[in-house]
Amino acid sequence: MGDLSCYSAVERLCDGRALEIRALRPDDRERMLAAIDHTSAQSLYRRFFAAKRHFTDKEIAFFLNVDFREQVALVATADEDGEQAIVGGARYVATRPSQAEVAFTVIDEYQRRGIGAALVRHLVDIARAAGLTELTAEVLPDNAPMLKLFERTGLPLSSRREADAVHLVLRLT
């Protein structure tokens, strides 16, 4: 797939608007923080499993400084008043040679428009090209939209429900 730090593709939202899926870059700091500001407390809780509104400089650096080998991070951007705004994000972090853990978030205003599905498709393609055979995720039991997103991938899926999370495994082969 070449240099993933330069990854970029254009998708169309259900309403016809253009959506760019691209690699997260270190210069996305302000756009990323703005996206967090436009995300509800509930959506942030579903992503981080904790009430999280602010991030330390160390956490921000972790999110922005991606090696695109062990860790891949994509953002979805859309035009907002002539500027490209981050409206969603996805990443995987390798946990074993053939496996990575994934996480997604889409700002509330853009949810239910196919952005999560687009991000999943792109991450799956990148993961396969990297030789990964499984993607795992921990999802809160009440996060029905995310659970449905994984079910709709069409990939073999196994799940294990625990008290505080649903552990999902998507098989890529």
Side-chain angles (χ1 to χ4, degrees):
M1 282 201 138
D3 181 2
L4 290 176
S5 67
C6 297
Y7 186 87
S8 177
V10 175
E11 296 267 344
R12 290 276 168 205
L13 292 174
C14 301
D15 63 7
R17 290 176 57 190
L19 179 77
E20 183 182 14
I21 306 288
R22 65 167 175 80
L24 178 69
R25 302 182 303 244
D27 68 347
D28 280 325
R29 180 186 174 98
E30 294 309 314
R31 284 180 288 276
M32 183 183 78
L33 294 175
I36 291 166
D37 285 344
H38 289 94
T39 305
S40 72
Q42 179 185 35
S43 291
L44 289 171
Y45 185 85
R46 285 179 167 173
R47 166 61 177 88
F48 295 103
F49 285 43
K52 192 95 172 148
R53 176 59 62 191
H54 301 285
F55 296 85
T56 66
D57 286 337
K58 185 177 180 179
E59 289 170 323
I60 292 169
F62 169 78
F63 288 125
L64 289 174
N65 298 313
V66 180
D67 66 13
F68 290 98
R69 287 181 310 282
E70 300 296 313
Q71 192 179 162
V72 171
L74 301 176
V75 291
T77 65
D79 182 71
E80 294 220 342
D81 301 322
E83 299 286 327
Q84 287 298 304
I86 293 175
V87 298
R91 76 175 48 233
Y92 74 64
V93 177
T95 54
R96 292 190 299 199
S98 62
Q99 184 182 75
E101 184 173 2
V102 296
F104 301 87
T105 194
V106 175
I107 68 171
D108 297 69
E109 179 183 343
Y110 283 85
Q111 290 177 6
R112 301 189 198 307
R113 295 188 190 190
I115 295 171
L119 288 165
V120 167
R121 282 192 308 275
H122 288 272
L123 263 190
V124 164
D125 289 347
I126 291 168
R128 282 180 170 148
L132 297 178
T133 60
E134 291 183 339
L135 295 177
T136 66
E138 300 292 325
V139 179
L140 290 170
D142 72 340
N143 191 349
M146 186 60 67
L147 293 169
K148 286 180 186 172
L149 174 68
F150 284 108
E151 289 171 7
R152 286 192 308 254
T153 64
L155 295 169
L157 174 70
S158 62
S159 64
R160 185 180 71 246
R161 190 173 284 269
E162 297 175 2
D164 57 350
V166 178
H167 177 77
L168 301 171
V169 178
L170 280 175
R171 285 180 299 291
L172 305 180
T173 56

